Amino acid sequence: QVQLVESGGGLVQAGGSLRLSCAASGRTFSSYSLAWFRQAPGKAREFVATITWGASNTYYADSVKGRFTISRDNAKNTVYLQMNSLEPWDTAVYYCAATRRAGLFRRVRDYDAWGPGTQVTVSS
């Protein structure tokens, strides 16, 4: 089972950028499909973006399309989320998730490994 740890969160002004990283342990990292989710206070965890094991396919939530980019470096066992043009409604705890299943998945229940999360706060 892969273990995940996010980093890179913080406080940023609206219109700014952040890059989140998710470091994974385990020799089979490259075989996992990966994703980013987020959860704002009082709200359900929601899908942000996902990437297949070979990085050949990605999929984004409509709310972040054109602003966020997911990528991965299998040699470094790391997945990234580049976030540009951040807005206050992007404020949330951001989670990295992994699944052994091949493909692009958007539901929380599709993923069986989660990181502890990293806080992103966007001020207006």
Side-chain angles (χ1 to χ4, degrees):
Q1 180 75 319
V2 68
Q3 293 184 325
L4 308 169
V5 179
E6 305 90 341
S7 61
L11 174 64
V12 64
Q13 289 188 330
S17 299
L18 281 174
R19 188 174 83 153
L20 304 182
S21 299
C22 174
S25 63
R27 293 175 292 179
T28 59
F29 173 81
S30 61
S31 65
Y32 284 75
S33 291
L34 302 168
W36 288 94
F37 286 75
R38 66 187 182 185
Q39 188 166 17
K43 294 189 176 181
R45 192 168 298 189
E46 67 172 3
F47 168 77
V48 174
T50 183
I51 187 166
T52 52
W53 70 271
S56 58
N57 292 295
T58 58
Y59 186 80
Y60 297 90
D62 288 343
S63 59
V64 306
K65 200 172 296 182
R67 299 188 299 126
F68 291 10
T69 301
I70 188 171
S71 61
R72 65 189 292 168
D73 185 337
N74 288 339
K76 295 182 178 180
N77 279 10
T78 302
V79 61
Y80 305 97
L81 185 68
Q82 177 66 44
M83 305 186 295
N84 299 328
S85 302
L86 284 161
E87 298 293 348
W89 54 83
D90 293 316
T91 295
V93 177
Y94 282 71
Y95 297 91
C96 177
T99 177
R100 286 185 174 271
R101 299 166 61 190
L104 301 169
F105 304 99
R106 295 173 290 169
R107 300 176 301 182
V108 170
R109 63 186 180 189
D110 290 325
Y111 293 86
D112 44 35
W114 294 85
T118 186
Q119 176 70 48
V120 172
T121 303
V122 185
S123 63
S124 57

